[in-house]
């Protein structure tokens, strides 16, 4: 026995020595070439062996499968497939928004904090997937209580299709995961540049695993108390209608935006960030190309977000209307933000324009199904103004939100939710797997419907906003109390990318001397030329480090 | 009453003072933390209040909705939904091309004009949306006259589905908006770097609001005179067939390209642009990664552009054929441009290759439905050669087109339109909501069909090209006469980004000394090493090469 | 006759002189303006002429087409359209992965080799299209022999739909082309920075034209010997089941990865690349933003890759399951790679995290149809560990794989293929055009199914891996023997971009002095600040303006 072990040890030593020799030889090009030739020869031999075996053993053919006569299908047999295809394609587009968020956030931040942005976007996406699989989906979309669901943990016990939608259960799961991921990513936007990575992991568990799915259940869960509000025997029966949020102005964007606000408040501003009242202003974005393209990719993904929320292609007029309304609100908001910001900045500002159309997209997300194209233009145009004002208010409050997550998602999410109470056109009711049911249309204040819808929207928005903000503040303070929410001052000065991730995003590029900490030198029209941002080639230029 | 007002004023003063104190305190971290704790406490209290109300008022449950028995659906009931899904997904892809155009144009321009490119792409998209909603769609797709439509202004009076397509009206609107936006963006490509932003807004209204929809009506409107050409009682009945443009080689690309040409001519070249005959050449692109990826995203979006133009998934052979033809033309054109340019540039030129496959995509856009895969390879390969020659011709004419919009879209749009007259394979007729109708196939010259199709194509292409060019020249001269088309010389020297938008695209990056005005230093193979584009950190830094 | 020729020559000379004068005048702004005015006047005149002709000849109207009564459709009539739509949308997404690959490879390489990466991605895509059209598709998906197909060369003789799928033949072609293109692009990843462009063209013909389609036929061809393995009269009937590879862990990723390995071996490492045992490590990526966004776009495209491989939307539960499994494997792998790499690198490494989720995507590609969500999480998590280990092994073997193509695609492709033998859950059988057929489910070892599936997978994976590797080594040695595989040392030192393509990717950016040859300076936490990568603005540097 001992001998056997001894032999084995010997054998393993011999193998180890062989391996070491092999390694040595591998590092010698001549041997390496020889080795690979040998290896390829052996592999070829094996291939011929198998080929030979095949030629001997096979009779070539009989691979024809008899086809059963195809069963006769009715139109109804196509409904679930087509609605599932629609939901899945929409889910893919919503997932694709991650590329857009990553670009938008990375482009709008300083280069020194870019890798951190990239990591947070990737890791939030991964973490959110596992959490939503484990319990997030169960909390949000399982039945159980008016406050949270209690079935489908780890996707156990799932039926073939979700609820009465007829959509494949796992297609619906994927669609909703993509939404949850969006909410989670929005949060990180206002916390760029100073959040420690462990802190990010911890608060992300809180957001993706608890805040979003539980609060979301209230509005979108099968028995959520805001979803059933206003009917007999449910929450506030006197309101007369339930809370409506077609694709998530509140559920996704307000939640994401207000968690972001809580995070930005608890963190405080980045080192070196001077506010307007201190003679400063927002730090400069480091790559406007990346940011703007990211904005376009988000817009592209929104075509999954809003039209996909019908979960039904059979409501084909509905998906067309939602897609067009989404577009028109974005167009109007982009232009209104640009024109409204012009007198303030005296330039045609690209950041405001991009955040403008994003604000329009956030705003139309709630009412997209129930308003007319003209209503969409109006409510979008208002969103474009609101986002510019909200950026100023944050500046005034000395809150550092590097990409404008709070104005775009937090504030315009509220506006969009309320706007339904004003602009619901009185023509459209509910979508469904076989088509629209417009027998009980929603009508807003401006279309003669009185205050009913507006009241329900205000109640829902207020409950969700206030709860989210309170719980998020508690969460952020708790993570902060552990000492991991904010990176050390030393780490922040060094650059969070180097400190947390060991590498800058663009190791090869030489940076302009004014590039820190405000993100770039001051550019005032007339006093600056891009020609100046340039490196002199001269021998007198020696001390490249700050000493 | 006066007292009441006084009180009110007092109250407002008091509120103002409170607010000022609040603001002061907010800027003190201790007070801020305290304030938020208070706020979150209050919010939590509210939440509990609502929760309590809920628990009292609710009876928990009875949320079950009785399901009506589902109606029996026939196959026909699925046709409109599936065709609408197809059209919408295609519309999303075409919209996604905006990300591609933005990247292509931004990557191919100099860094000093990048923000301007970004703004124009975003703003054109927004502006086009509102104009197409207001009257563009009405001019183009409403019935009325052979020259322009007169219904559906502000989308009023729209039926549920468009024409006989069975596609949701607003889905069709969105698809066509994405096309209009493409045309508008093409235009800006040749005018990069010297167009004032107000001038851009003005001419864009002209292009998106009038030129594109009105000229487009001729070919695609329900009663456009080129759409009905060749039949009794219509325009040129003797021609024997109507003008065909499946997805817009002429309507989108030729129009866009020739407006671009008019703009480039009226503007004149950028300051510092030396042409070949002056010993110069095209200014260097500043980011080939962004440009190339933009090219790929355009190719990706083209799968909405061409296959989506069936407006019908029921013609499932047609959409497969169109998608494959589109691909093969692009592949052939990319390679032919690369090989054809090689003797001229002595390098494997990435700009020509990318513009090559784009030229193939533009060319196949008109004939994609009616040609065979083999025909697609041939006509694509020719497009790849044409685009290289056309770049030379523009250089010879001293026209500065920074991204090659005129050769790619303007010239290859014409080639693609004519190529149908040569390559139509005689197998395919018309698509339709229930499937293809190949009873009256188109046959080109090379397939024994004679000159009929070629003649019709030449007439249509000539009328649209000449009209577009003439009207665009007038438009550009008019905007120029207002003094806003071209940015001031001072502004151009400073950099249009700083001048018009107050910020450069990459404020942190140090630029190479040779980076202006030609877009970069001269790179001649053999005389330049990427190692040279670098900042020395010390005089001792000499031996960075392996020696 | 001679006179006629003479006249013609005269005429041509006269024309030439006119042209020369025209050109001269064109270069004079005043004449140019005049010329264009003239031209636009003439064109306008023509327009009015045509308009007048129209007004005279037209009778305005009678454009109403009588609609035939629509035929009555059954559910079955919708099956082929809906499955074709699904396949086409998936094909578009898979094609879109080219944008992702381009970004991933460009971002992970050094800036000096970026243009080469861009060109290879574009040209491989074009080349692969023409080859797949000419004979690749025929070899792979034609019937004929167990080793390669012999029909459909140049797409001749193609029926309307492919096989029994009911999907439009050309839609299926496009889907499979996008797969082939993926395989081809993977290959280039490990060969970045030192492969001559002509060599790239040559080996790409080998990979796209022969290796991928022929080896692929074995597993996916209608009569491939691995596809029919395990049944009576076919290859290895005793194995009891065929080789399964749902979406190509082996067919696409293992093939691509092992060709890449052969290429990297034959090429040897880039100049200046120091391995761990030599005190070095991987060269730094030059743009992590681009690389990470590329990773996300690949993930996005994977939703075409895997769910699309059903070729059937009617199997709507299947496509939902595949999409969710794909997501969960990626999420688990991203996190496991990040956590597993942390003790090694002491940082939260973004490259490992991105390659981690890609490894999960590669692994789930084979088993995605047959495993449960929980199984996907587990096998994905393992892939994330494997990819980190495999990177170390390559480093140990002194193989330079700039983007990790071998670990991600080559190694995790094998793991994914084998994992089916472990994790197949015993619930799912085969997909089909009318829906799933789960009468003969696959069951893996861990679910009580014994070794049958595992054995079949091991045999298939081994045969394909060994053959591919052997043949690729032979191919690469052959191309190398022609002297065109590796760029000259001089060219590599100069920068392959300048040498082969005449231009760097970012001509305007100044590079950091440490940016070569390792791709960037050393960044060790604590010793480096992003603030240091910066250029001082010396007072002597003022007059860079044009004066």
């Amino acid at each position: 026995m001992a001998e056997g072990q001894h032999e084995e040890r010997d054998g393993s030593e011999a193998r180890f020595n062989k391996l070491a020799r092999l390694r040595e030889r591998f590092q010698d090009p001549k041997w390496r070439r020889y080795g690979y030739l040998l290896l390829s020869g052996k592999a070829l031999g094996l291939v011929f062996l198998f080929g030979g075996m095949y030629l001997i053993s096979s009779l070539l053919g009989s691979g024809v499968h008899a086809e059963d006569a195809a069963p006769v299908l009715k139109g109804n047999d196509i409904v679930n497939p087509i609605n599932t295809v629609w939901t899945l394609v929409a889910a893919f587009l919503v997932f694709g928004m991650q590329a857009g968020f990553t670009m938008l956030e990375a482009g709008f931040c300083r280069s020194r904090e870019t890798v951190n942005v990239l990591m947070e976007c990737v890791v939030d996406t991964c973490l959110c997937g596992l959490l939503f699989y484990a319990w997030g989906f169960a909390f949000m979309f399982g039945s159980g209580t008016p406050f949270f669901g209690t079935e489908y943990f780890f996707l156990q016990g799932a039926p073939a299709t979700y609820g009465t939608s007829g959509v494949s259960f796992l297609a619906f799961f994927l669609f909703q995961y993509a939404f949850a991921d969006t909410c989670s990513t929005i949060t990180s936007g206002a916390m760029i540049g100073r959040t420690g990575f462990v802190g990010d992991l911890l608060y992300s568990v809180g957001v993706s695993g608890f805040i979003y799915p539980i609060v979301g259940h209230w509005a979108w869960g099968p028995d959520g108390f805001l979803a059933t509000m206003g009917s007999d025997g449910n929450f506030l029966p006197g309101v007369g209608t339930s809370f409506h949020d077609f694709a998530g102005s509140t559920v996704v964007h307000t939640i994401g935006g207000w968690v972001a606000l809580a995070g930005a408040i608890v963190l405080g501003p980045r080192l070196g960030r001077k506010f307007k009242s201190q003679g400063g202003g927002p730090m400069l974005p480091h790559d406007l190309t990346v940011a703007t393209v990211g904005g376009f990719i988000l817009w592209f993904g929104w075509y999954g977000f809003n039209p996909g929320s019908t979960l039904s292609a059979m409501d084909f007029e509905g998906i067309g209307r939602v897609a067009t309304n989404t577009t028109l609100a974005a167009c109007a908001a982009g232009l209104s933000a640009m024109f409204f910001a012009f007198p303030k900045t005296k330039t045609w500002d690209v950041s405001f324009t991009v955040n403008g159309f994003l604000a329009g997209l956030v705003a139309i997300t709630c009412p997209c199904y129930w308003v007319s194209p003209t209503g969409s233009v109006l409510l979008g145009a208002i969103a474009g103004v609101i986002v510019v004002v909200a950026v100023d208010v944050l500046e005034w409050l000395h809150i550092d939100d590097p990409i404008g997550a709070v104005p775009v998602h937090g504030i315009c999410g509220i506006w969009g939710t309320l706007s339904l109470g004003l602009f619901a056109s009185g023509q459209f009711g509910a979508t469904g797997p076989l088509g629209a049911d417009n027998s009980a249309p929603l009508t807003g204040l401006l279309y003669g419907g009185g205050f009913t819808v507006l009241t329900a929207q205000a109640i829902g928005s207020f409950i969700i906003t206030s709860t989210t903000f309170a719980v998020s503040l508690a969460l952020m303070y708790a993570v902060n109390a552990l000492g991991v929410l904010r990176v050390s001052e030393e780490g922040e000065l060094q650059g969070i990318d180097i400190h947390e991730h060991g590498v800058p995003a663009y190791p090869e590029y030489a940076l302009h001397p004014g590039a820190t900490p405000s993100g770039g030198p001051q550019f005032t029209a007339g006093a600056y030329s891009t020609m100046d941002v340039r490196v002199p080639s001269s021998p007198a230029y020696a001390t490249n480090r700050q000493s």
Side-chain angles (χ1 to χ4, degrees), chain A:
Chain A
M1 193 75 170
E3 229 170 86
Q5 280 184 340
H6 185 73
E7 266 175 38
E8 212 174 277
R9 194 150 16 97
D10 273 9
S12 109
E13 266 168 39
R15 272 198 299 279
F16 180 80
N17 288 340
K18 267 191 185 170
L19 206 63
R21 223 178 318 135
L22 184 67
R23 183 193 164 182
E24 228 163 73
R25 288 188 175 161
F26 242 80
Q27 294 171 10
D28 171 4
K30 212 181 63 192
W31 271 100
R32 193 157 60 204
R33 178 162 308 193
Y34 172 74
Y36 285 118
L37 275 176
L38 210 70
L39 195 59
S40 63
K42 284 201 177 172
L44 263 178
L46 274 166
V47 171
F48 286 128
L49 181 68
F50 275 104
M53 282 165 62
Y54 175 87
L55 286 179
I56 291 162
S57 71
S58 85
L59 300 169
L60 279 171
S62 85
V64 183
H65 301 280
E67 285 291 309
D68 299 321
V72 175
L73 298 179
K74 293 192 298 287
N76 299 56
D77 299 319
I78 315 291
V79 169
N80 286 2
I82 196 176
N83 288 345
T84 298
V85 165
W86 177 245
T87 302
L88 271 182
V89 170
F92 304 162
L93 291 176
V94 179
F95 180 85
M97 291 171 78
Q98 288 303 316
F101 274 120
T102 305
M103 293 180 86
L104 187 85
E105 297 195 9
F108 273 153
C109 74
R110 296 173 298 170
S111 71
R112 53 180 12 243
E113 59 212 9
T114 303
V115 177
N116 187 250
V117 165
L118 304 175
M119 265 308 266
E120 294 198 357
C121 287
V122 172
V123 170
D124 284 3
T125 296
C126 293
L127 197 62
C128 181
L130 296 190
L131 293 172
F132 216 62
Y133 149 78
W135 66 73
F137 183 86
F139 280 164
M140 191 153 176
F141 292 101
S143 285
T145 78
F147 298 109
F148 54 89
T150 57
E151 50 183 352
Y152 311 138
F153 290 99
F154 292 88
L155 300 179
Q156 299 303 304
T161 59
Y162 181 78
T164 59
S165 70
V167 169
S168 150
F169 190 91
L170 291 177
F172 180 74
F173 167 81
L174 187 75
F175 185 68
Q176 293 299 345
Y177 153 66
F179 272 58
D181 190 17
T182 301
C183 178
S184 159
T185 305
I186 290 167
T187 300
S188 69
M191 301 172 69
I192 283 173
R194 62 244 202 243
T195 310
F197 193 72
V198 173
D200 177 77
L201 289 178
L202 287 181
Y203 86 70
S204 292
V205 170
V207 176
S208 299
F210 298 94
I211 296 176
Y212 175 76
I214 291 176
V215 178
H217 181 85
W218 305 351
W220 284 356
D223 47 9
F225 74 92
L226 292 173
T228 59
M229 179 175 81
S231 54
D232 280 349
N234 286 309
F235 183 53
L236 299 179
V239 169
T241 186
S242 68
F243 175 64
H244 288 82
D245 187 6
F246 194 74
S249 286
T250 290
V251 173
V252 177
H253 296 282
T254 301
I255 293 182
W258 285 77
V259 177
L261 178 60
I265 286 169
V266 175
L267 279 169
R270 288 170 289 179
L271 292 179
R273 171 77 156 93
K274 286 209 172 82
F275 293 92
K276 221 169 177 176
S277 63
Q278 300 165 327
M283 288 168 163
L284 281 182
H286 88 280
D287 192 330
L288 283 169
T289 304
V290 162
T292 305
V293 173
F296 264 128
I297 293 180
L298 284 173
W299 188 338
F300 173 64
W302 234 287
Y303 290 122
F305 216 93
N306 289 4
S309 289
T310 60
L311 302 176
S312 165
M314 294 300 294
D315 183 4
F316 68 102
E317 294 177 42
I319 57 180
R321 184 174 66 250
V322 169
T324 288
N325 286 346
T326 300
T327 307
L328 292 177
C331 292
L335 289 182
S336 74
M338 182 186 78
F339 283 116
F340 186 73
F342 185 78
K344 290 163 32 87
T345 62
K346 301 282 183 300
T347 70
W348 305 101
D349 191 284
V350 69
S351 302
F352 274 128
T353 311
V354 170
N355 271 339
F357 74 68
L358 291 175
L361 290 165
V362 169
I364 193 66
T365 296
C366 162
C368 55
Y369 191 80
W370 297 287
V371 297
S372 70
T374 305
S376 304
V377 170
L378 294 174
L379 72 89
I382 294 169
V385 172
I386 289 175
V387 76
V388 177
V389 173
V391 165
D392 276 352
V393 171
L394 281 190
E395 192 73 15
W396 184 79
L397 290 171
H398 286 206
I399 293 170
D400 182 19
D401 175 2
I403 66 151
V406 177
V408 171
H409 302 277
I411 307 302
C412 288
I414 293 176
W415 160 242
T417 304
L418 298 178
S419 74
L420 176 66
L422 302 172
F423 289 97
S425 72
Q427 298 163 279
F428 311 110
T431 189
L434 298 177
D437 172 9
N438 294 325
S439 59
L442 287 188
T443 312
L445 185 62
L446 300 178
Y447 288 73
F451 284 91
T452 309
V453 177
L454 188 57
T455 307
Q457 296 303 99
I459 292 171
S461 178
F462 177 76
I463 291 178
I464 288 183
T465 307
S466 57
T467 315
T468 300
F469 189 53
V471 173
S472 313
L473 274 176
L475 170 70
M476 293 296 176
Y477 277 125
V479 176
N480 200 28
L482 297 173
V484 294
L485 189 66
R486 180 145 187 166
V487 77
S488 68
E489 193 176 318
E490 186 202 317
E492 200 175 333
L493 282 175
Q494 189 193 27
I496 195 169
D497 288 356
I498 307 289
H499 187 261
E500 297 280 273
H501 309 290
V503 69
Y506 319 99
E508 298 189 28
Y509 296 167
L511 299 190
H512 187 272
T516 180
S518 72
Q522 287 301 317
F523 299 93
T524 51
Y528 178 89
S529 156
T530 44
M531 289 190 185
D532 298 339
V533 194
R534 167 171 322 117
V535 177
S537 62
S538 85
Y541 156 61
T543 54
N544 206 352
R545 292 172 185 249
Q546 291 180 321
S547 52

